Amino acid sequence: MIAINNLSFHYKKDITIFDNINAALSPGHIYGLLGLNGVGKTTFLKLICGLLFPKTGTVKINDFTPSNREVTFLSDIYFVTDEVDLPPWTIANFLDIYAPLYPNFDASYFDDILAAFQVDRSEKIKSLSYGQRKKVNITFALATNANFLLMDEPTNGLDIPSKTQFRKLMARHVSPDKTIIISTHQIRDIHQLIDHLLILQDSKLVLDESLYELGRKLKFQQGTYADALYSEIGLNGNNNIRSNIDGEESLFNIELFFNAISTHPDLLTKLANSSLQNHE
Amino acid sequence: MNKYLRIKRLAITLKEFWISNRMLVFSFPLMILLCIAIFYLWPGGIFYEKWVNPDTFSSQDAWLNALLTTHTTQRVLILFVIPIYLVICTKPTLDKLNKSERTNLTPITRLERTFGLTLFAIGFTCLAFACFILYDHVIAAWFNNLYYEEAIRYLEAHGNLYPKISDRTALYPISTNILGVAFMMIILFLPLYFLSLVFFRKNSFILFLGLLVLIIITLVFFLRWLLVQETSSISIPIKGFFPLTLNILLVVGYWYLAMATFYHKLKEKEI
């Protein structure tokens, strides 16, 4: 369980990045962390893994304080950064050195994933392309079997088949004891994976809700609707977000939803109100 | 937690250094050999003149005279290739400790990092010294084989009844005392170098150098002030166990303080 309480953070005193954020992220989910450029998605992940320290408030992961960077904690968390920072050795050497540091590391799983990504184990990391290095890093991250997996733009640089492969691997990887947070702009790459949305906006975590709950409140339809909460012109007519009063099921369009929240922040208030009305 | 030390993880930090630097380590004996060759064959040196330009010496006696009067202990300076190698080997790791997200999230404690770095640096220094000493002895033995008998005969022919050749000539390896001083200088340099790369968050090396210069200037001014204030002095000429112990304690104290500062500077930084 990741417990974030009253978290505030800034790099410079006059520029607030996070202001009093609260969240409780439970295992067994893949969280999609969304936000506009510069809103602090990477900073949020860094605060969770302990690379940055909260100015006020706390972050706790299973009773560990990440900023203490205790070895037991570090061996149960892996952060896949956007920039791949791996040593220039061969993949085999990289594995020999660092795999023993993770008690649940599965070497055969590593080989399987690497084969699926079509990367040769005997290659030197420095001779690989950015996308291939990213694949090695993702492979290592998954093979650690760490219970907390943080991924910052994991599909950046991956070719199209690898993105498909990535989705398959992640879907297989999630388990009741694992917490996975994926921060991305390329929501189409992973929208089938995510089951919980975290949206950062204006120094706040403005949304922390499961797609299931959101799907109960909203529905996505094409056409022209006067009661649409948000509409966007698409190739096949208008794409609409409407209140799901009748409990109709529709495919949750994360991209449309995110655009709606980014351009109409009041939508969240409407959503909260409709939620209250539903409860009443 | 971060003060824990596990042999397995310490071995991993050493392996990290080894894999990253093994080519450099393997190249070291060749580099020393190259430096020795350059030292002896530098144009203008007696061996250059003897082997490349033999006409310089009008006779064998002139050559032997040059051999016996030319001191070659400056070759100890070759040992200062070691700190250069150490900087090249360890700087990427020290930089990563300041900047790399992956390094700072690798499950290795900072005590293990400190020990790993120290062991690698000291181990490399010892091996490098051993390599230099080996070369030095082999070359001195070779020169002995080539010129010792002739040199003795030359000295006897010049009326020296008890011929003795200076141990500063090329016929003798560098003395243990000189090697010891060079070793101490390198060992004393190490913690300062480690500190210089982590002491400040940005431009640490330059800022730390500035700090050192400031400390030295302050110290010099203070000592000068003390000398001006001094009206009498007492000197106690003692030798033996106590001064030696004091020296050892000073060195150990300096090492401990510098490394402890380094260890605390490694304290979980924000990346």
Side-chain angles (χ1 to χ4, degrees), chain B residues 18-43:
Chain B
W18 172 245
I19 292 187
S20 301
N21 299 300
R22 58 189 163 185
M23 291 316 290
L24 272 170
V25 174
F26 286 140
S27 74
F28 187 79
L30 287 176
M31 177 55 77
I32 287 286
L33 203 60
L34 183 72
C35 290
I36 290 173
I38 290 171
F39 176 81
Y40 282 117
L41 297 175
W42 192 258

PDB file of all heavy atoms in Angstrom, chain B residues 18-43:
ATOM      1  N   TRP B  18      35.004  -3.471 -11.189  1.00  0.00           N
ATOM      2  CA  TRP B  18      35.857  -4.342 -11.995  1.00  0.00           C
ATOM      3  C   TRP B  18      35.366  -4.373 -13.451  1.00  0.00           C
ATOM      4  O   TRP B  18      36.140  -4.155 -14.377  1.00  0.00           O
ATOM      5  CB  TRP B  18      35.901  -5.738 -11.379  1.00  0.00           C
ATOM      6  CG  TRP B  18      36.591  -6.738 -12.260  1.00  0.00           C
ATOM      7  CD1 TRP B  18      36.049  -7.818 -12.855  1.00  0.00           C
ATOM      8  CD2 TRP B  18      37.969  -6.718 -12.661  1.00  0.00           C
ATOM      9  NE1 TRP B  18      36.990  -8.477 -13.603  1.00  0.00           N
ATOM     10  CE2 TRP B  18      38.183  -7.820 -13.504  1.00  0.00           C
ATOM     11  CE3 TRP B  18      39.038  -5.855 -12.406  1.00  0.00           C
ATOM     12  CZ2 TRP B  18      39.408  -8.101 -14.083  1.00  0.00           C
ATOM     13  CZ3 TRP B  18      40.268  -6.133 -12.986  1.00  0.00           C
ATOM     14  CH2 TRP B  18      40.440  -7.255 -13.808  1.00  0.00           C
ATOM     15  N   ILE B  19      34.062  -4.606 -13.625  1.00  0.00           N
ATOM     16  CA  ILE B  19      33.533  -4.712 -14.997  1.00  0.00           C
ATOM     17  C   ILE B  19      33.670  -3.374 -15.736  1.00  0.00           C
ATOM     18  O   ILE B  19      33.992  -3.337 -16.916  1.00  0.00           O
ATOM     19  CB  ILE B  19      32.064  -5.188 -14.985  1.00  0.00           C
ATOM     20  CG1 ILE B  19      32.037  -6.634 -14.498  1.00  0.00           C
ATOM     21  CG2 ILE B  19      31.420  -5.082 -16.357  1.00  0.00           C
ATOM     22  CD1 ILE B  19      30.712  -7.317 -14.578  1.00  0.00           C
ATOM     23  N   SER B  20      33.476  -2.281 -15.005  1.00  0.00           N
ATOM     24  CA  SER B  20      33.551  -0.974 -15.663  1.00  0.00           C
ATOM     25  C   SER B  20      34.991  -0.599 -16.022  1.00  0.00           C
ATOM     26  O   SER B  20      35.213   0.171 -16.949  1.00  0.00           O
ATOM     27  CB  SER B  20      32.978   0.113 -14.753  1.00  0.00           C
ATOM     28  OG  SER B  20      31.656  -0.168 -14.450  1.00  0.00           O
ATOM     29  N   ASN B  21      35.948  -1.124 -15.249  1.00  0.00           N
ATOM     30  CA  ASN B  21      37.317  -0.620 -15.397  1.00  0.00           C
ATOM     31  C   ASN B  21      38.351  -1.671 -15.743  1.00  0.00           C
ATOM     32  O   ASN B  21      39.542  -1.382 -15.686  1.00  0.00           O
ATOM     33  CB  ASN B  21      37.750   0.069 -14.099  1.00  0.00           C
ATOM     34  CG  ASN B  21      36.867   1.243 -13.770  1.00  0.00           C
ATOM     35  OD1 ASN B  21      36.775   2.179 -14.539  1.00  0.00           O
ATOM     36  ND2 ASN B  21      36.178   1.165 -12.649  1.00  0.00           N
ATOM     37  N   ARG B  22      37.921  -2.888 -16.083  1.00  0.00           N
ATOM     38  CA  ARG B  22      38.932  -3.939 -16.229  1.00  0.00           C
ATOM     39  C   ARG B  22      39.925  -3.654 -17.355  1.00  0.00           C
ATOM     40  O   ARG B  22      41.114  -3.959 -17.213  1.00  0.00           O
ATOM     41  CB  ARG B  22      38.297  -5.316 -16.381  1.00  0.00           C
ATOM     42  CG  ARG B  22      37.356  -5.459 -17.527  1.00  0.00           C
ATOM     43  CD  ARG B  22      36.633  -6.776 -17.467  1.00  0.00           C
ATOM     44  NE  ARG B  22      35.467  -6.702 -18.328  1.00  0.00           N
ATOM     45  CZ  ARG B  22      34.571  -7.645 -18.424  1.00  0.00           C
ATOM     46  NH1 ARG B  22      34.678  -8.734 -17.698  1.00  0.00           N
ATOM     47  NH2 ARG B  22      33.533  -7.514 -19.222  1.00  0.00           N
ATOM     48  N   MET B  23      39.449  -3.026 -18.426  1.00  0.00           N
ATOM     49  CA  MET B  23      40.378  -2.705 -19.517  1.00  0.00           C
ATOM     50  C   MET B  23      41.428  -1.697 -19.050  1.00  0.00           C
ATOM     51  O   MET B  23      42.604  -1.802 -19.401  1.00  0.00           O
ATOM     52  CB  MET B  23      39.616  -2.155 -20.734  1.00  0.00           C
ATOM     53  CG  MET B  23      38.743  -3.165 -21.446  1.00  0.00           C
ATOM     54  SD  MET B  23      39.520  -4.766 -21.710  1.00  0.00           S
ATOM     55  CE  MET B  23      40.731  -4.349 -22.941  1.00  0.00           C
ATOM     56  N   LEU B  24      40.969  -0.747 -18.252  1.00  0.00           N
ATOM     57  CA  LEU B  24      41.915   0.246 -17.709  1.00  0.00           C
ATOM     58  C   LEU B  24      42.929  -0.426 -16.790  1.00  0.00           C
ATOM     59  O   LEU B  24      44.120  -0.139 -16.837  1.00  0.00           O
ATOM     60  CB  LEU B  24      41.145   1.303 -16.913  1.00  0.00           C
ATOM     61  CG  LEU B  24      40.616   2.498 -17.691  1.00  0.00           C
ATOM     62  CD1 LEU B  24      39.687   3.323 -16.846  1.00  0.00           C
ATOM     63  CD2 LEU B  24      41.764   3.370 -18.177  1.00  0.00           C
ATOM     64  N   VAL B  25      42.425  -1.336 -15.954  1.00  0.00           N
ATOM     65  CA  VAL B  25      43.320  -2.044 -15.017  1.00  0.00           C
ATOM     66  C   VAL B  25      44.335  -2.867 -15.807  1.00  0.00           C
ATOM     67  O   VAL B  25      45.531  -2.847 -15.506  1.00  0.00           O
ATOM     68  CB  VAL B  25      42.501  -2.937 -14.049  1.00  0.00           C
ATOM     69  CG1 VAL B  25      43.422  -3.786 -13.174  1.00  0.00           C
ATOM     70  CG2 VAL B  25      41.608  -2.079 -13.166  1.00  0.00           C
ATOM     71  N   PHE B  26      43.856  -3.560 -16.837  1.00  0.00           N
ATOM     72  CA  PHE B  26      44.780  -4.379 -17.639  1.00  0.00           C
ATOM     73  C   PHE B  26      45.799  -3.511 -18.381  1.00  0.00           C
ATOM     74  O   PHE B  26      46.917  -3.942 -18.639  1.00  0.00           O
ATOM     75  CB  PHE B  26      44.005  -5.216 -18.669  1.00  0.00           C
ATOM     76  CG  PHE B  26      43.263  -6.377 -18.060  1.00  0.00           C
ATOM     77  CD1 PHE B  26      41.983  -6.722 -18.494  1.00  0.00           C
ATOM     78  CD2 PHE B  26      43.835  -7.150 -17.054  1.00  0.00           C
ATOM     79  CE1 PHE B  26      41.296  -7.787 -17.930  1.00  0.00           C
ATOM     80  CE2 PHE B  26      43.158  -8.213 -16.485  1.00  0.00           C
ATOM     81  CZ  PHE B  26      41.892  -8.534 -16.927  1.00  0.00           C
ATOM     82  N   SER B  27      45.390  -2.287 -18.717  1.00  0.00           N
ATOM     83  CA  SER B  27      46.306  -1.427 -19.485  1.00  0.00           C
ATOM     84  C   SER B  27      47.362  -0.798 -18.580  1.00  0.00           C
ATOM     85  O   SER B  27      48.359  -0.264 -19.076  1.00  0.00           O
ATOM     86  CB  SER B  27      45.515  -0.327 -20.198  1.00  0.00           C
ATOM     87  OG  SER B  27      45.100   0.646 -19.273  1.00  0.00           O
ATOM     88  N   PHE B  28      47.149  -0.862 -17.272  1.00  0.00           N
ATOM     89  CA  PHE B  28      48.064  -0.159 -16.369  1.00  0.00           C
ATOM     90  C   PHE B  28      49.521  -0.631 -16.476  1.00  0.00           C
ATOM     91  O   PHE B  28      50.431   0.205 -16.597  1.00  0.00           O
ATOM     92  CB  PHE B  28      47.565  -0.241 -14.921  1.00  0.00           C
ATOM     93  CG  PHE B  28      48.385   0.597 -13.990  1.00  0.00           C
ATOM     94  CD1 PHE B  28      48.185   1.973 -13.922  1.00  0.00           C
ATOM     95  CD2 PHE B  28      49.386   0.041 -13.230  1.00  0.00           C
ATOM     96  CE1 PHE B  28      48.965   2.756 -13.105  1.00  0.00           C
ATOM     97  CE2 PHE B  28      50.172   0.827 -12.405  1.00  0.00           C
ATOM     98  CZ  PHE B  28      49.955   2.189 -12.340  1.00  0.00           C
ATOM     99  N   PRO B  29      49.799  -1.946 -16.451  1.00  0.00           N
ATOM    100  CA  PRO B  29      51.205  -2.376 -16.571  1.00  0.00           C
ATOM    101  C   PRO B  29      51.862  -1.856 -17.850  1.00  0.00           C
ATOM    102  O   PRO B  29      53.032  -1.469 -17.837  1.00  0.00           O
ATOM    103  CB  PRO B  29      51.107  -3.909 -16.585  1.00  0.00           C
ATOM    104  CG  PRO B  29      49.826  -4.205 -15.906  1.00  0.00           C
ATOM    105  CD  PRO B  29      48.905  -3.088 -16.251  1.00  0.00           C
ATOM    106  N   LEU B  30      51.090  -1.815 -18.924  1.00  0.00           N
ATOM    107  CA  LEU B  30      51.644  -1.305 -20.182  1.00  0.00           C
ATOM    108  C   LEU B  30      51.930   0.196 -20.072  1.00  0.00           C
ATOM    109  O   LEU B  30      52.942   0.683 -20.581  1.00  0.00           O
ATOM    110  CB  LEU B  30      50.659  -1.558 -21.331  1.00  0.00           C
ATOM    111  CG  LEU B  30      50.543  -3.003 -21.789  1.00  0.00           C
ATOM    112  CD1 LEU B  30      49.466  -3.128 -22.850  1.00  0.00           C
ATOM    113  CD2 LEU B  30      51.881  -3.473 -22.357  1.00  0.00           C
ATOM    114  N   MET B  31      51.016   0.893 -19.418  1.00  0.00           N
ATOM    115  CA  MET B  31      51.187   2.331 -19.257  1.00  0.00           C
ATOM    116  C   MET B  31      52.443   2.634 -18.437  1.00  0.00           C
ATOM    117  O   MET B  31      53.233   3.517 -18.775  1.00  0.00           O
ATOM    118  CB  MET B  31      49.933   2.907 -18.567  1.00  0.00           C
ATOM    119  CG  MET B  31      49.975   4.392 -18.270  1.00  0.00           C
ATOM    120  SD  MET B  31      50.307   5.402 -19.714  1.00  0.00           S
ATOM    121  CE  MET B  31      48.715   5.368 -20.498  1.00  0.00           C
ATOM    122  N   ILE B  32      52.645   1.866 -17.363  1.00  0.00           N
ATOM    123  CA  ILE B  32      53.834   2.063 -16.512  1.00  0.00           C
ATOM    124  C   ILE B  32      55.108   1.780 -17.333  1.00  0.00           C
ATOM    125  O   ILE B  32      56.084   2.523 -17.264  1.00  0.00           O
ATOM    126  CB  ILE B  32      53.761   1.135 -15.273  1.00  0.00           C
ATOM    127  CG1 ILE B  32      52.699   1.661 -14.316  1.00  0.00           C
ATOM    128  CG2 ILE B  32      55.094   1.008 -14.561  1.00  0.00           C
ATOM    129  CD1 ILE B  32      53.102   2.901 -13.548  1.00  0.00           C
ATOM    130  N   LEU B  33      55.034   0.694 -18.116  1.00  0.00           N
ATOM    131  CA  LEU B  33      56.187   0.328 -18.946  1.00  0.00           C
ATOM    132  C   LEU B  33      56.493   1.451 -19.945  1.00  0.00           C
ATOM    133  O   LEU B  33      57.657   1.814 -20.148  1.00  0.00           O
ATOM    134  CB  LEU B  33      55.857  -0.968 -19.692  1.00  0.00           C
ATOM    135  CG  LEU B  33      57.050  -1.794 -20.156  1.00  0.00           C
ATOM    136  CD1 LEU B  33      57.907  -2.209 -18.980  1.00  0.00           C
ATOM    137  CD2 LEU B  33      56.569  -3.034 -20.919  1.00  0.00           C
ATOM    138  N   LEU B  34      55.436   2.003 -20.504  1.00  0.00           N
ATOM    139  CA  LEU B  34      55.598   3.106 -21.457  1.00  0.00           C
ATOM    140  C   LEU B  34      56.223   4.313 -20.765  1.00  0.00           C
ATOM    141  O   LEU B  34      57.152   4.946 -21.302  1.00  0.00           O
ATOM    142  CB  LEU B  34      54.219   3.469 -22.036  1.00  0.00           C
ATOM    143  CG  LEU B  34      54.210   4.545 -23.106  1.00  0.00           C
ATOM    144  CD1 LEU B  34      54.796   4.003 -24.398  1.00  0.00           C
ATOM    145  CD2 LEU B  34      52.780   5.029 -23.356  1.00  0.00           C
ATOM    146  N   CYS B  35      55.743   4.611 -19.565  1.00  0.00           N
ATOM    147  CA  CYS B  35      56.270   5.756 -18.812  1.00  0.00           C
ATOM    148  C   CYS B  35      57.753   5.538 -18.487  1.00  0.00           C
ATOM    149  O   CYS B  35      58.560   6.472 -18.584  1.00  0.00           O
ATOM    150  CB  CYS B  35      55.478   5.976 -17.525  1.00  0.00           C
ATOM    151  SG  CYS B  35      53.830   6.576 -17.817  1.00  0.00           S
ATOM    152  N   ILE B  36      58.088   4.305 -18.092  1.00  0.00           N
ATOM    153  CA  ILE B  36      59.495   4.011 -17.762  1.00  0.00           C
ATOM    154  C   ILE B  36      60.360   4.170 -19.023  1.00  0.00           C
ATOM    155  O   ILE B  36      61.442   4.765 -18.973  1.00  0.00           O
ATOM    156  CB  ILE B  36      59.622   2.590 -17.155  1.00  0.00           C
ATOM    157  CG1 ILE B  36      58.995   2.575 -15.757  1.00  0.00           C
ATOM    158  CG2 ILE B  36      61.085   2.154 -17.084  1.00  0.00           C
ATOM    159  CD1 ILE B  36      58.907   1.201 -15.123  1.00  0.00           C
ATOM    160  N   ALA B  37      59.836   3.645 -20.137  1.00  0.00           N
ATOM    161  CA  ALA B  37      60.575   3.756 -21.404  1.00  0.00           C
ATOM    162  C   ALA B  37      60.778   5.224 -21.770  1.00  0.00           C
ATOM    163  O   ALA B  37      61.887   5.634 -22.148  1.00  0.00           O
ATOM    164  CB  ALA B  37      59.811   3.031 -22.506  1.00  0.00           C
ATOM    165  N   ILE B  38      59.710   6.018 -21.602  1.00  0.00           N
ATOM    166  CA  ILE B  38      59.829   7.452 -21.910  1.00  0.00           C
ATOM    167  C   ILE B  38      60.853   8.106 -20.973  1.00  0.00           C
ATOM    168  O   ILE B  38      61.682   8.905 -21.394  1.00  0.00           O
ATOM    169  CB  ILE B  38      58.447   8.150 -21.802  1.00  0.00           C
ATOM    170  CG1 ILE B  38      57.553   7.685 -22.948  1.00  0.00           C
ATOM    171  CG2 ILE B  38      58.594   9.669 -21.825  1.00  0.00           C
ATOM    172  CD1 ILE B  38      56.109   8.118 -22.838  1.00  0.00           C
ATOM    173  N   PHE B  39      60.795   7.715 -19.693  1.00  0.00           N
ATOM    174  CA  PHE B  39      61.717   8.304 -18.706  1.00  0.00           C
ATOM    175  C   PHE B  39      63.179   8.051 -19.101  1.00  0.00           C
ATOM    176  O   PHE B  39      63.995   8.967 -19.097  1.00  0.00           O
ATOM    177  CB  PHE B  39      61.423   7.719 -17.323  1.00  0.00           C
ATOM    178  CG  PHE B  39      62.396   8.207 -16.271  1.00  0.00           C
ATOM    179  CD1 PHE B  39      62.223   9.451 -15.681  1.00  0.00           C
ATOM    180  CD2 PHE B  39      63.489   7.438 -15.895  1.00  0.00           C
ATOM    181  CE1 PHE B  39      63.128   9.908 -14.726  1.00  0.00           C
ATOM    182  CE2 PHE B  39      64.388   7.895 -14.948  1.00  0.00           C
ATOM    183  CZ  PHE B  39      64.203   9.133 -14.365  1.00  0.00           C
ATOM    184  N   TYR B  40      63.478   6.793 -19.433  1.00  0.00           N
ATOM    185  CA  TYR B  40      64.882   6.460 -19.727  1.00  0.00           C
ATOM    186  C   TYR B  40      65.306   6.915 -21.119  1.00  0.00           C
ATOM    187  O   TYR B  40      66.474   7.185 -21.345  1.00  0.00           O
ATOM    188  CB  TYR B  40      65.114   4.955 -19.578  1.00  0.00           C
ATOM    189  CG  TYR B  40      65.237   4.537 -18.119  1.00  0.00           C
ATOM    190  CD1 TYR B  40      64.310   3.671 -17.541  1.00  0.00           C
ATOM    191  CD2 TYR B  40      66.279   5.017 -17.331  1.00  0.00           C
ATOM    192  CE1 TYR B  40      64.420   3.301 -16.210  1.00  0.00           C
ATOM    193  CE2 TYR B  40      66.386   4.652 -15.994  1.00  0.00           C
ATOM    194  CZ  TYR B  40      65.453   3.795 -15.443  1.00  0.00           C
ATOM    195  OH  TYR B  40      65.572   3.442 -14.133  1.00  0.00           O
ATOM    196  N   LEU B  41      64.332   6.953 -22.035  1.00  0.00           N
ATOM    197  CA  LEU B  41      64.715   7.266 -23.423  1.00  0.00           C
ATOM    198  C   LEU B  41      64.332   8.687 -23.843  1.00  0.00           C
ATOM    199  O   LEU B  41      64.232   8.978 -25.028  1.00  0.00           O
ATOM    200  CB  LEU B  41      64.085   6.239 -24.372  1.00  0.00           C
ATOM    201  CG  LEU B  41      64.567   4.809 -24.139  1.00  0.00           C
ATOM    202  CD1 LEU B  41      63.816   3.846 -25.014  1.00  0.00           C
ATOM    203  CD2 LEU B  41      66.075   4.693 -24.402  1.00  0.00           C
ATOM    204  N   TRP B  42      64.092   9.532 -22.856  1.00  0.00           N
ATOM    205  CA  TRP B  42      63.770  10.931 -23.165  1.00  0.00           C
ATOM    206  C   TRP B  42      64.984  11.577 -23.829  1.00  0.00           C
ATOM    207  O   TRP B  42      66.095  11.456 -23.338  1.00  0.00           O
ATOM    208  CB  TRP B  42      63.408  11.677 -21.874  1.00  0.00           C
ATOM    209  CG  TRP B  42      62.803  13.021 -22.132  1.00  0.00           C
ATOM    210  CD1 TRP B  42      63.431  14.233 -22.028  1.00  0.00           C
ATOM    211  CD2 TRP B  42      61.468  13.287 -22.544  1.00  0.00           C
ATOM    212  NE1 TRP B  42      62.573  15.235 -22.352  1.00  0.00           N
ATOM    213  CE2 TRP B  42      61.359  14.699 -22.674  1.00  0.00           C
ATOM    214  CE3 TRP B  42      60.354  12.489 -22.824  1.00  0.00           C
ATOM    215  CZ2 TRP B  42      60.168  15.315 -23.075  1.00  0.00           C
ATOM    216  CZ3 TRP B  42      59.180  13.104 -23.209  1.00  0.00           C
ATOM    217  CH2 TRP B  42      59.089  14.499 -23.336  1.00  0.00           C
ATOM    218  N   PRO B  43      64.824  12.242 -24.971  1.00  0.00           N
ATOM    219  CA  PRO B  43      65.984  12.836 -25.639  1.00  0.00           C
ATOM    220  C   PRO B  43      66.798  13.733 -24.690  1.00  0.00           C
ATOM    221  O   PRO B  43      66.232  14.552 -23.974  1.00  0.00           O
ATOM    222  CB  PRO B  43      65.353  13.665 -26.765  1.00  0.00           C
ATOM    223  CG  PRO B  43      64.064  12.990 -27.032  1.00  0.00           C
ATOM    224  CD  PRO B  43      63.588  12.463 -25.718  1.00  0.00           C
TER     225      PRO B  43
END
